[in-house]
Amino acid sequence: MSSFQKYYARLTEIADFLLHNPELGYKEFNTSRRIEDEINKISPELKIEHYLDTGLKITLTNGSQKTIGVIAEIDSLYQPNHKLADANTGAAQACGHYTQVTTTLAIMNEIITNHRLKEFGANLAFIFTPSEEFVDLAWRKQQKEAGKIDYFGGKQEAIKLGIFDDIDYCVSVHAIGEDFDERTIEINCDLAGFNFEYFDFYGKASHAAFAPDAGINAQSIATLFNTALALQRQQIKDPNRIRFNPVFIGENHESINVIPDHIKMGTDLRFFDIDNAQKLMNRFKQAAEGCASALGGSVESERQVGYLPLISSKSMSAIVKDVFSANEKIPGLIEDRGYTMAAGDIGDVSFLIPTIQIGYGGWNGTIHGDDFTLVDPEFVLAIFPEFVFNSILKISNNLDQVKTYKKTKEEYLTELEKMAK
């Protein structure tokens, strides 16, 4: 029996704790403590670096010149309708992040318990990162205004703080929200980047029946803007790699007989081409100003920087495919999806260094939905972590096959500044 199988019972307990104690980003205090407790049980001699209150980093050094980062996201999603959602915060493990934690702990346990660090051709850094899900935005905006954070994504803040300065390659994993007939993994799937823009449309309130001519209907302006965005789709370059989803934010508390004088809208823009995305965002702003002007109102806009696209390392993925071909426990492989318009701040890491994200099945229901459930715990908690371990081991000993690049933190922050304009 492998150590992964022996550790399986222990991981089941940890997974159960995390599943029943979900926490939103930058607030993962119980999660972080539980992870640290387990790391200390694996080895009390391990040095833990703390950052962003809940983030943890553990570096295992074997004297190599390069370091591979292994990422585990520790936050939950806002999904109050999930059966295991926190009644007070609405947080729920509807994204499967808790099994990223268990995968990473299993790999650490194997390396420490069986003294296997010497087998790796690189140092290893295990990075437990907060706040991947782009939720709880009003609170995060308050934190930003108070100077406590600059970015809503935990990896973005970690990069800014220098947590990735000594990392040369990165391996991450993520649940796949699909049902499969067999145990399945996925490689070579890029993720979109995104920005978000808020629009406040202002009109003039008046009695809707007695004096509608004295008012300016902010909702009509917003409706016209929504139509303008729909018509913009005809002019989009490479439309299959662009998404935007305008939504009304909040509620109109005016009476039914009052012309509404304020409507708030927002839209994301998901993309792979940053320069093209910036042009589109500026066209959205121009459309908002034109719609407001056309009906006699006004508009204020605010841009919120999102995440950069994940461009997966094809050479690292090729090594993972070799490991898959040699394994007997995982029969299913997806390698031809190419990309998805989903996003994550793992894309920000891929801007800096070669990065991959390995997807894994074992779930039922809709990812991010109220029915997302782990249905194959043996695969997700024992078989898959061993596969990831073997993949990282082979990557570390074949770094000469990996197309390598390394951008600086300053270059990265400049890219985010460009997204904000």
Side-chain angles (χ1 to χ4, degrees):
M1 179 184 292
S2 74
S3 69
F4 289 94
Q5 290 291 339
K6 293 178 182 178
Y7 196 48
Y8 174 60
R10 180 70 179 164
L11 273 191
T12 301
E13 295 177 5
I14 297 170
D16 187 68
F17 174 86
L18 298 177
L19 179 63
H20 288 85
N21 292 274
E23 296 171 298
L24 298 177
Y26 294 128
K27 304 174 184 177
E28 311 98 336
F29 298 105
N30 291 326
T31 301
S32 182
R33 281 192 293 268
R34 189 68 177 83
I35 294 169
E36 185 164 0
D37 287 346
E38 185 60 25
I39 292 170
N40 287 328
K41 288 177 181 177
I42 293 172
S43 173
E45 298 178 357
L46 291 175
K47 181 180 178 181
I48 300 176
E49 179 181 353
H50 298 86
Y51 66 97
L52 292 173
D53 293 332
T54 60
L56 307 166
K57 179 181 178 182
I58 303 90
T59 302
L60 304 181
T61 303
N62 60 14
S64 298
Q65 296 299 312
K66 301 293 184 178
T67 300
I68 297 176
V70 183
I71 285 182
E73 295 158 354
I74 67 174
D75 63 328
S76 299
L77 182 71
Y78 180 76
Q79 178 45 274
N81 294 322
H82 195 279
K83 64 180 180 180
L84 296 179
D86 185 286
N88 295 316
T89 66
Q93 291 285 3
C95 48
H97 287 181
Y98 70 107
T99 58
Q100 296 183 28
V101 172
T102 53
T103 295
T104 304
L105 290 173
I107 294 170
M108 291 182 64
N109 179 71
E110 169 69 12
I111 292 171
I112 299 299
T113 302
N114 293 319
H115 310 287
R116 300 193 64 180
L117 182 60
K118 61 182 179 296
E119 299 177 27
F120 286 78
N123 308 313
L124 300 175
F126 298 93
I127 307 172
F128 297 87
T129 60
S131 190
E132 187 273 337
E133 299 292 351
F134 206 79
V135 298
D136 203 14
L137 302 184
W139 180 84
R140 291 186 198 179
K141 187 176 180 181
Q142 292 174 355
Q143 300 302 297
K144 181 177 180 179
E145 291 172 348
K148 296 181 179 180
I149 60 173
D150 289 316
Y151 305 105
F152 287 5
K155 296 185 195 67
Q156 296 175 308
E157 282 291 303
I159 293 170
K160 181 193 73 176
L161 294 174
I163 298 300
F164 287 87
D165 283 358
D166 60 347
I167 310 298
D168 300 287
Y169 310 88
C170 188
V171 175
S172 64
V173 300
H174 204 290
I176 311 173
E178 300 169 59
D179 294 330
F180 298 103
D181 295 330
E182 57 187 6
R183 288 168 171 168
T184 300
I185 65 163
E186 179 171 20
I187 59 175
N188 274 331
C189 186
D190 295 341
L191 300 178
F194 76 93
N195 254 5
F196 202 94
E197 190 98 10
Y198 298 95
F199 298 94
D200 285 277
F201 293 103
Y202 295 97
K204 181 181 178 182
S206 68
H207 195 294
F210 178 73
D213 55 300
I216 298 173
N217 194 317
Q219 186 162 331
S220 296
I221 299 172
T223 300
L224 185 61
F225 175 61
N226 206 15
T227 302
L229 289 186
L231 295 174
Q232 289 265 13
R233 297 179 191 275
Q234 187 183 39
Q235 300 171 257
I236 290 176
K237 174 185 176 183
D238 200 4
N240 289 333
R241 292 169 68 88
I242 287 286
R243 296 282 191 279
F244 50 95
N245 179 40
V247 294
F248 289 92
I249 299 173
E251 298 180 4
N252 178 12
H253 296 289
E254 301 283 0
S255 300
I256 194 170
N257 64 341
V258 176
I259 298 291
D261 63 353
H262 175 228
I263 293 292
K264 191 176 188 67
M265 285 185 68
T267 186
D268 64 350
L269 176 65
R270 294 173 181 260
F271 60 86
F272 285 94
D273 183 332
I274 294 176
D275 292 333
N276 184 43
Q278 294 306 97
K279 293 177 182 177
L280 277 175
M281 292 296 274
N282 290 331
R283 278 166 51 185
F284 291 175
K285 186 175 179 180
Q286 183 182 40
E289 293 169 347
C291 292
S293 176
L295 296 182
S298 62
V299 62
E300 295 177 359
S301 62
E302 178 184 4
R303 188 163 299 177
Q304 173 60 56
V305 172
Y307 301 156
L308 296 175
L310 166 65
I311 307 302
S312 298
S313 168
K314 301 300 183 285
S315 50
M316 289 173 68
S317 293
I319 297 173
V320 176
K321 185 178 180 180
D322 289 342
V323 176
F324 169 82
S325 298
N327 99 95
E328 299 178 349
K329 297 180 180 179
I330 306 174
L333 174 68
I334 303 171
E335 59 172 330
D336 58 356
R337 199 190 310 259
Y339 69 93
T340 172
M341 298 310 296
D345 59 0
I346 190 64
D348 292 69
V349 179
S350 78
F351 177 85
L352 291 172
I353 53 178
T355 300
I356 57 170
Q357 181 164 277
I358 306 172
Y360 54 102
W363 306 85
N364 202 346
T366 304
I367 193 165
H368 285 201
D370 59 7
D371 58 348
F372 193 60
T373 306
L374 177 64
V375 294
D376 191 352
E378 182 184 13
F379 171 51
V380 172
L381 301 180
I383 295 172
F384 180 69
E386 185 171 10
F387 174 81
V388 178
F389 173 90
N390 289 330
S391 296
I392 296 170
L393 177 61
K394 185 154 189 174
I395 290 170
S396 75
N397 289 308
N398 292 275
L399 291 177
D400 59 328
Q401 299 178 21
V402 177
K403 184 178 180 180
T404 301
Y405 61 91
K406 191 162 187 176
K407 296 181 180 177
T408 66
K409 176 173 61 179
E410 289 71 27
E411 288 177 294
Y412 166 73
L413 295 176
T414 298
E415 194 75 2
L416 292 192
E417 289 175 6
K418 185 169 74 172
M419 287 176 66
K421 295 179 181 178

